Amino acid sequence: MNAALRSVALLTVLLCARHSTAADDPLPSWNDTARKKSIVAFVQKVTTEGAPGFVPVPERIATFDNDGCLWAEQPMYFQALFVLDRVKALAPQHPEWKEQEPFASLLKGDMAAVAASGEKGLVTMLAATHSGLTTDEFAKVVTDWLATARHPKTGRPYTEMTYQPMRELLAYLRANGFKTFIVSGGGVEFMRPWTERIYGIPPEQVVGSSLKMKLEMRDGIPVLMKLPEINLVDDKEGKPVGIQQSIGRRPIAAFGNSDGDLQMLQWTTISRSPQDQTPRLGLIVHHTDAEREFAYDRKSMCGKLDKALDEAPTRGWLVVDMKNDWNTVFSPPAK
Amino acid sequence: MNAALRSVALLTVLLCARHSTAADDPLPSWNDTARKKSIVAFVQKVTTEGAPGFVPVPERIATFDNDGCLWAEQPMYFQALFVLDRVKALAPQHPEWKEQEPFASLLKGDMAAVAASGEKGLVTMLAATHSGLTTDEFAKVVTDWLATARHPKTGRPYTEMTYQPMRELLAYLRANGFKTFIVSGGGVEFMRPWTERIYGIPPEQVVGSSLKMKLEMRDGIPVLMKLPEINLVDDKEGKPVGIQQSIGRRPIAAFGNSDGDLQMLQWTTISRSPQDQTPRLGLIVHHTDAEREFAYDRKSMCGKLDKALDEAPTRGWLVVDMKNDWNTVFSPPAK
């Protein structure tokens, strides 16, 4: 073999090797930092048969927060933006709202007054817009809204404001025998109409906040009416409750981004006994990228990350530095 | 070929054919009646790609009642027998029960008085024995009880009082891409410790009645305490609610045996619109075999089957005649 030929051969080997590495990388949007290495090491540990950390497939349960973990949550939780749009859309059928707060302020465009009404105001509007219709009707309202609503900053559909690195992580875990669940403070009926298409997570693997429901017969057809009464607030202390109610076993990996996920991270990762040597992964997405996304933590109204950030080092939770750990933030538009 | 040889050859063909049919039959404990044919026809319809009744795999949701549908429920719901045993076991820690009904009657062995206390009495004992401990502790209590308790009539462990034809049906549906769920009036935490081992149904696919829970930190370890307050009664009108809360989509097949399953059968099988041509299967196990199991329906205290039996013909629900449709009733002991 002459020198030129040898060079070509070498180049081919190198290119193929590079190509093969890139193609084999299940997390191409993750830079090769310590966080990525820890995730991969965890997955290898629990999937290596015969190794001490091996976890049988049925026990490979992973739970993901949604707002700020799988999709963005600024300038406001997307479901809150949905509520505001719904109040405007439903206003003609509710002339009384002109005199009632926080509806009146919203309809006048006085957003400062709406914000001042706080959580109580939001819950009032949430109950008014999320109840009094059937589960099927509500799913259609959500689907129609998502088809036309656009994010105020990027102008993109909300379902295109999902994080590509997290979607790769979902797929990577599933390829390794994990069952992936959403466990979100958001409304379960608000998420289910689209999580299968966008995240590959079917309705039965979505856990979230919910209203009570009542079975009724309407023209001989059974329907479930959504009532203006809270069934579960699947946030903070409510997340382990939601996990136990709907999943019934403890996850071995949990992914969050705010103090709303603190108890889920504790529930998932704190060992119950010295005998329990099951590897456990806790991960927090830290929003550090003002340029490509948003930068916020301890003082944010949506997705406040304070206590969980303090607790992360002692618990061994990975804190993803979005700016440095991710080479891509948002997923490309769905086809 | 001489006549003798021809006979042998023919016999071989016949035997092989028979053998091959038996081996291919996914429901060998079902006699070849109209019910079996209808089940197989339904499964073929929804799994035949390109055919009008085809249902994509993610939509193949099947829900099964437990008591009287997957395992027996006489002389009393097994969970009620568990409650009685628990009251006796816990009595030394509750001296006050000697003065309180229905505990006092039970501890004196006056079962007529216990029965007279009715549902209210049972709920009192259920709350007393199912709350005040953590979910992990309760799971252990259930597991320990099942390991030693024996059925009063057959002397067999309760987990050996499951119906072989229904277990074959579960496996047959799963082999055809169905996701099988339990949707039972029984307690979800009472079922989850053993349903995976016995039925192949994992905890996250078990829907049932539940108590409220509260997250607590105990010596730095998070635990979920079971509270004496009902969260969901997953029976009758509660079954579609439980299905929507935990599964989030409508089943295409439902299996029950009592009026407690009426609303689940309606929810599953009643078409929402003339456009919806999805094949739907409703099935009722009718307990007609006093010799091999129990014979009961309209007047039974446990598993009363009255309204659903009347409604079955109009709705097109299959009514399984246990005596004639099943050649085997109980599953062989688990290895």
Side-chain angles (χ1 to χ4, degrees):
Chain A
M1 208 188 280
N2 67 27
L5 208 59
R6 263 212 310 277
S7 301
V8 170
L10 190 64
L11 199 63
T12 309
V13 167
L14 284 173
L15 284 173
C16 287
R18 256 192 78 166
H19 182 261
S20 131
T21 307
D24 287 353
D25 184 357
L27 302 171
S29 299
W30 291 73
N31 291 325
D32 208 19
T33 65
R35 265 67 62 194
K36 179 173 181 171
K37 288 191 179 83
S38 295
I39 293 168
V40 172
F42 167 78
V43 170
Q44 282 171 349
K45 212 183 290 175
V46 301
T47 55
T48 305
E49 255 176 282
F54 179 73
V55 176
V57 167
E59 298 287 339
R60 293 184 202 157
I61 303 286
T63 53
F64 288 78
D65 175 49
N66 185 42
D67 298 305
C69 183
L70 294 179
W71 75 355
E73 60 183 352
Q74 298 291 352
M76 210 185 287
Y77 297 123
F78 296 171
Q79 191 174 0
L81 295 167
F82 166 75
V83 167
L84 300 182
D85 280 356
R86 287 306 295 159
V87 169
K88 289 176 201 160
L90 292 169
Q93 299 160 46
H94 293 273
E96 75 280 10
W97 284 355
K98 280 185 192 150
E99 313 293 328
Q100 279 174 18
E101 289 300 342
F103 303 100
S105 297
L106 174 61
L107 296 174
K108 279 182 286 189
D110 183 355
M111 291 311 289
V114 175
S117 76
E119 201 182 309
K120 192 162 164 279
L122 185 62
V123 169
T124 304
M125 291 190 287
L126 194 134
T129 53
H130 283 56
S131 66
L133 68 183
T134 71
T135 49
D136 284 350
E137 287 165 351
F138 185 74
K140 190 180 175 318
V141 168
V142 171
T143 304
D144 291 350
W145 181 76
L146 283 173
T148 55
R150 295 294 179 267
H151 187 270
K153 183 179 165 186
T154 65
R156 294 176 69 174
Y158 290 102
T159 46
E160 289 180 13
M161 301 285 292
T162 61
Y163 303 130
Q164 180 62 14
M166 297 306 285
R167 289 173 63 167
E168 290 169 5
L169 189 49
L170 284 169
Y172 172 54
L173 290 173
R174 288 195 290 258
N176 281 281
F178 279 78
K179 211 165 185 174
T180 54
F181 288 81
I182 289 175
V183 177
S184 168
V188 67
E189 306 271 347
F190 179 72
M191 297 182 281
R192 281 176 170 158
W194 52 273
T195 55
E196 189 159 37
R197 182 171 57 89
I198 301 293
Y199 302 136
I201 297 179
E204 62 270 25
Q205 286 162 225
V206 180
V207 182
S209 298
S210 56
L211 297 176
K212 290 197 184 295
M213 289 177 274
K214 193 175 179 297
L215 186 72
E216 287 178 12
M217 274 287 182
R218 190 188 272 183
D219 302 327
I221 293 173
V223 295
L224 283 168
M225 287 297 294
K226 287 165 65 69
L227 306 178
E229 196 186 334
I230 284 170
N231 178 57
L232 174 71
V233 178
D234 189 53
D235 200 33
K236 299 191 173 77
E237 295 81 5
K239 287 210 176 190
V241 173
I243 288 170
Q244 183 65 19
Q245 278 182 0
S246 296
I247 307 177
R249 54 180 148 203
R250 200 149 68 98
I252 62 165
F255 304 84
N257 71 293
S258 78
D259 284 359
D261 304 308
L262 177 60
Q263 287 81 358
M264 173 169 77
L265 288 162
Q266 292 172 336
W267 179 249
T268 302
T269 62
I270 295 176
S271 180
R272 295 296 189 272
S273 73
Q275 287 77 49
D276 179 11
Q277 295 297 320
T278 306
R280 298 185 171 276
L281 177 67
L283 183 149
I284 292 171
V285 175
H286 192 189
H287 293 262
T288 52
D289 195 328
E291 208 163 303
R292 294 183 302 172
E293 207 241 2
F294 303 92
Y296 60 97
D297 47 34
R298 297 183 193 272
K299 287 174 183 166
S300 179
M301 203 174 72
C302 290
K304 178 178 172 178
L305 173 65
D306 185 42
K307 285 184 202 167
L309 195 57
D310 289 339
E311 202 164 315
T314 12
R315 299 283 185 204
W317 298 332
L318 305 179
V319 179
V320 168
D321 175 353
M322 195 184 257
K323 186 170 181 175
N324 292 304
D325 288 350
W326 291 359
N327 60 56
T328 306
V329 174
F330 292 116
S331 302
K335 272 151 226 149
Chain B
M1 207 189 278
N2 66 29
L5 207 60
R6 263 213 309 278
S7 299
V8 170
L10 189 65
L11 198 65
T12 309
V13 167
L14 283 174
L15 283 173
C16 288
R18 257 191 76 165
H19 181 261
S20 132
T21 308
D24 287 351
D25 184 357
L27 302 170
S29 299
W30 292 74
N31 292 325
D32 208 19
T33 65
R35 265 68 62 194
K36 178 175 181 170
K37 288 191 179 82
S38 295
I39 293 169
V40 172
F42 167 77
V43 171
Q44 282 171 350
K45 212 183 287 174
V46 301
T47 54
T48 305
E49 255 176 283
F54 178 74
V55 176
V57 167
E59 299 286 340
R60 293 183 203 158
I61 303 286
T63 53
F64 287 78
D65 175 49
N66 185 42
D67 298 305
C69 184
L70 294 180
W71 75 354
E73 61 183 351
Q74 299 291 353
M76 211 186 285
Y77 297 122
F78 295 171
Q79 191 174 1
L81 295 166
F82 166 76
V83 167
L84 301 183
D85 281 356
R86 287 306 295 160
V87 169
K88 289 176 200 160
L90 292 169
Q93 299 160 45
H94 292 274
E96 75 280 10
W97 284 354
K98 279 185 192 149
E99 315 292 328
Q100 279 174 18
E101 289 299 342
F103 303 102
S105 297
L106 174 61
L107 297 173
K108 278 182 287 187
D110 183 355
M111 291 310 290
V114 174
S117 76
E119 201 182 309
K120 191 163 166 277
L122 185 62
V123 169
T124 304
M125 291 191 288
L126 195 134
T129 53
H130 284 57
S131 66
L133 66 184
T134 71
T135 50
D136 284 349
E137 288 166 348
F138 185 75
K140 189 179 176 320
V141 168
V142 171
T143 304
D144 290 350
W145 180 76
L146 283 174
T148 55
R150 293 295 178 266
H151 188 271
K153 183 179 164 186
T154 65
R156 294 177 68 173
Y158 291 102
T159 46
E160 289 180 13
M161 301 285 293
T162 62
Y163 304 129
Q164 179 64 14
M166 296 306 285
R167 289 173 63 167
E168 290 169 5
L169 188 49
L170 284 169
Y172 173 54
L173 290 173
R174 288 195 291 258
N176 281 282
F178 278 79
K179 210 166 186 175
T180 53
F181 288 81
I182 289 175
V183 176
S184 168
V188 67
E189 306 270 346
F190 179 72
M191 297 182 281
R192 280 175 170 159
W194 52 274
T195 55
E196 189 159 35
R197 181 170 58 89
I198 301 293
Y199 301 136
I201 297 180
E204 63 270 25
Q205 286 162 225
V206 180
V207 182
S209 298
S210 57
L211 297 177
K212 289 197 186 294
M213 289 177 276
K214 192 176 180 295
L215 186 72
E216 287 178 11
M217 273 287 183
R218 190 187 271 183
D219 302 326
I221 294 173
V223 295
L224 283 168
M225 287 297 294
K226 285 164 67 67
L227 306 177
E229 195 185 336
I230 284 171
N231 178 58
L232 173 71
V233 178
D234 188 54
D235 200 33
K236 300 191 173 78
E237 296 80 5
K239 286 209 176 190
V241 173
I243 288 170
Q244 184 64 20
Q245 279 183 359
S246 296
I247 308 177
R249 55 179 147 202
R250 201 150 68 98
I252 62 165
F255 304 84
N257 70 294
S258 78
D259 283 359
D261 304 309
L262 176 62
Q263 287 81 357
M264 173 169 77
L265 289 162
Q266 292 172 337
W267 179 250
T268 302
T269 62
I270 295 175
S271 180
R272 296 296 189 269
S273 73
Q275 288 77 48
D276 179 12
Q277 295 296 320
T278 307
R280 299 187 170 274
L281 178 66
L283 183 148
I284 292 171
V285 174
H286 192 188
H287 294 263
T288 52
D289 195 327
E291 208 164 302
R292 294 183 302 172
E293 206 240 2
F294 303 92
Y296 60 97
D297 47 33
R298 297 183 193 272
K299 287 176 182 163
S300 179
M301 203 174 73
C302 291
K304 178 177 170 177
L305 173 64
D306 185 41
K307 285 184 203 165
L309 194 58
D310 289 339
E311 202 164 314
T314 12
R315 299 283 184 206
W317 299 333
L318 305 179
V319 179
V320 168
D321 175 354
M322 195 184 256
K323 186 171 180 175
N324 292 303
D325 288 350
W326 291 0
N327 60 56
T328 305
V329 174
F330 292 116
S331 301
K335 272 151 226 152

